[in-house]
Amino acid sequence: MCRPFDKDADGFVLGEGAGSVVLRPLPDALADGDRVYAVIKGIGSANDGASPGPLTPAPEGQLRAMRRAYADARATPSSVGFLEAHGTGTRAGDRAEAQALRRLHTEYPDDDPALCYLGSAKALIGHSLPPRTPPRADLSRQPPPAGRAHR
């Protein structure tokens, strides 16, 4: 069992599966009558390149990504009521993520700090890894490149 952010955390659970998310511009989705489950207000990314390696993430990289996402969304951390965390269930990963979240909230002091729930669905469904060998496209069925005649 995976226990993200728990003192008894001992790693993540492997899962099998695939997922997809369909993104559309909001006006197009509304015009077509699509059911809208969420609206992305901002995005942020960063790289932990300065950390010792992928199994030892640094809070600085995660904090940088969160700062960028909140800035892009023109929002403050207290405006968020639920945060879906990475939640690896590893001491290093969860510690880095928790430290980054704590630091983020101290950088943006608020007179009325709202309660924010923290979840990690990955703990329930498992951490899917990519296939060992990526699937290959069947190029025999692809149309010829533009400007080339078919033989």
Side-chain angles (χ1 to χ4, degrees), residues 19-111:
S20 67
V21 175
V22 177
L23 303 176
R24 295 191 70 199
L26 184 58
D28 296 349
L30 294 174
D32 289 345
D34 294 343
R35 185 169 180 187
V36 177
Y37 292 93
V39 175
I40 297 172
K41 297 276 189 173
I43 60 170
S45 63
N47 185 339
D48 277 338
S51 74
L55 299 178
T56 53
E60 290 75 21
Q62 294 183 22
L63 183 58
R64 190 175 316 112
M66 287 187 262
R67 284 179 187 140
R68 290 173 179 168
Y70 280 105
D72 189 44
R74 295 183 185 96
T76 61
S78 65
S79 68
V80 174
F82 177 81
L83 193 135
E84 181 63 23
H86 187 210
T88 61
T90 63
R91 288 185 186 124
D94 288 351
R95 185 179 307 118
E97 191 167 11
Q99 285 176 3
L101 286 167
R102 255 188 239 109
R103 286 172 55 187
L104 181 73
H105 281 270
T106 59
E107 288 179 8
Y108 295 89
D110 195 330
D111 292 336

